[in-house]
Amino acid sequence: MKEISAGGLVYRILEDELQIQLIQDRYGKITLPKGKMEAGETVEQTALREIFEETGIIGQIMEPIALICYQFVHPKAGQIDKEVHYYLVKAIGGTIQAQVAEIRGVEWLTPKEAWRQQKNAGYSNNDNIVRNAYQLLGLEVD
């Protein structure tokens, strides 16, 4: 069985300042918005829908960041081949609002603070996603 998810690193420029959006998931970890593809969607549509549902932000995909593939065993469905597509997404509208059923919080941060939170409280497998997104944005990480 194959499962496809999509999401992204969302950014905005507010008063000439670049800001990065991070979410805190239901387990208290820092992460990026993402979720499972629904029937009839493209991966890009999935990414934008999930970002909107989880954060309230309307985005525009700028470019792909990464495609992560792995396998896991689901207790009922058996072996799952998982694909997760990550995109660099520019915020173009909406109002920030956490989807409380799914996540604990969402906020805009400076790139430096977002990287610090990712390193201290994020999933380590997201380090390269954030690093790659920063490179696309012309930023360096410490």
Side-chain angles (χ1 to χ4, degrees):
M1 184 174 166
K2 187 173 191 173
E3 185 177 287
I4 300 173
S5 291
L9 182 129
V10 181
Y11 73 95
R12 71 178 181 183
I13 298 171
L14 186 65
E15 298 174 4
D16 293 329
E17 182 182 317
L18 179 67
Q19 296 181 330
I20 305 295
Q21 183 190 79
L22 291 177
I23 66 172
Q24 185 182 55
D25 69 15
R26 65 184 112 184
Y27 308 108
K29 297 284 277 184
I30 296 300
T31 192
L32 303 170
K34 74 171 184 349
K36 293 179 189 173
M37 181 184 284
E38 294 180 355
E41 282 184 325
T42 65
V43 289
E44 294 87 356
Q45 289 168 332
T46 300
L48 295 175
R49 176 185 51 77
E50 286 291 338
I51 288 165
F52 178 73
E53 286 177 1
E54 291 186 4
T55 71
I57 295 300
I58 299 164
Q60 175 184 350
I61 291 178
M62 304 310 287
E63 56 190 303
I65 298 171
L67 169 60
I68 310 299
C69 298
Y70 59 94
Q71 294 178 329
F72 69 95
V73 177
H74 186 275
K76 293 181 182 173
Q79 182 170 307
I80 307 289
D81 293 322
K82 179 83 174 190
E83 275 185 15
V84 185
H85 298 256
Y86 286 100
Y87 295 93
L88 182 63
V89 177
K90 182 177 183 177
I92 59 170
T95 303
I96 198 167
Q97 181 175 343
Q99 181 186 31
V100 289
E102 296 273 332
I103 64 174
R104 289 186 186 176
V106 57
E107 63 182 328
W108 293 107
L109 303 161
T110 65
K112 186 175 184 176
E113 178 60 17
W115 180 249
R116 188 189 71 74
Q117 286 195 26
Q118 168 57 37
K119 292 299 287 180
N120 291 336
Y123 295 99
S124 61
N125 60 349
N126 279 348
D127 287 354
N128 282 335
I129 309 284
V130 175
R131 184 180 285 113
N132 291 347
Y134 276 31
Q135 288 176 346
L136 293 171
L137 289 167
L139 302 171
E140 292 185 24
V141 294
D142 300 334

